[in-house]
């Protein structure tokens, strides 16, 4: 399926580009949820893979380090209380996977204000 996007001016195009990036970053949470479910179910073994990350690299077509980043972000998000997760998902998606993966180790850990750290992340 080909999507044709016709945008006349640079400001509208820039806004559309940023919105598309946010949707893309948000979609990775759905991929991560499926990846975690697959890991917990041991799907990799059913397909002959010794390691779940190797299975995900094969199935998703992304590099090992990318999978590790995604799993770190999603694991950090899952550490948060349920009532904080919707806000965290939005903030982490807006940061992008690189910045969110840098923040992931402190998310949901006592003594760290992840919101303040996320707010300080450079644009």
């Amino acid at each position: 399926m080909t999507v044709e996007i016709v945008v006349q001016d640079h400001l509208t195009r820039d806004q559309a580009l940023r919105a598309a990036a946010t949707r893309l970053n948000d979609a990775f949470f759905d991929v991560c949820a499926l990846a975690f479910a697959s890991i917990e179910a041991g799907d990799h073994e059913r397909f002959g893979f010794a390691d779940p990350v190797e299975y995900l690299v094969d199935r998703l077509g992304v590099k090992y380090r990318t999978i590790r980043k995604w799993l770190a972000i999603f694991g950090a998000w899952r550490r948060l209380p349920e009532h904080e997760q919707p806000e965290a998902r939005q903030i982490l998606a807006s940061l992008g996977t690189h910045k969110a993966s840098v923040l992931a180790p402190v998310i949901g850990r006592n003594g760290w204000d992840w919101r303040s750290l996320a707010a300080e992340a450079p644009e």
Side-chain angles (χ1 to χ4, degrees):
M1 179 170 104
T2 303
V3 176
E4 186 176 325
I5 300 174
V6 179
V7 179
Q8 298 300 323
D9 67 273
H10 69 283
L11 294 175
T12 305
R13 199 170 27 258
D14 182 66
Q15 184 180 20
L17 183 63
R18 289 171 182 252
T22 298
R23 288 191 307 274
L24 180 64
N25 288 330
D26 190 50
F28 97 92
F29 272 91
D30 297 333
V31 173
C32 290
L34 290 167
F36 259 78
S38 178
I39 290 168
E40 290 171 348
D43 292 344
H44 64 284
E45 294 170 351
R46 291 180 177 89
F47 291 101
F49 288 87
D51 180 72
V53 176
E54 290 174 18
Y55 165 72
L56 294 171
V57 166
D58 181 76
R59 295 309 196 243
L60 297 174
V62 296
K63 295 183 179 187
Y64 180 88
R65 289 179 66 178
T66 300
I67 297 293
R68 299 302 309 169
K69 280 183 182 182
W70 289 0
L71 294 176
I73 295 164
F74 194 75
W77 176 78
R78 285 178 29 150
R79 282 194 303 268
L80 291 171
E82 235 178 273
H83 69 276
E84 290 185 37
Q85 289 180 354
E87 176 190 12
R89 180 177 172 141
Q90 182 181 12
I91 290 170
L92 293 171
S94 72
L95 288 176
T97 56
H98 177 71
K99 291 176 187 173
S101 70
V102 172
L103 185 60
V106 300
I107 294 173
R109 305 279 189 211
N110 288 335
W112 290 94
D113 181 7
W114 65 270
R115 286 180 187 88
S116 296
L117 293 171
E120 292 179 23
E123 294 271 333

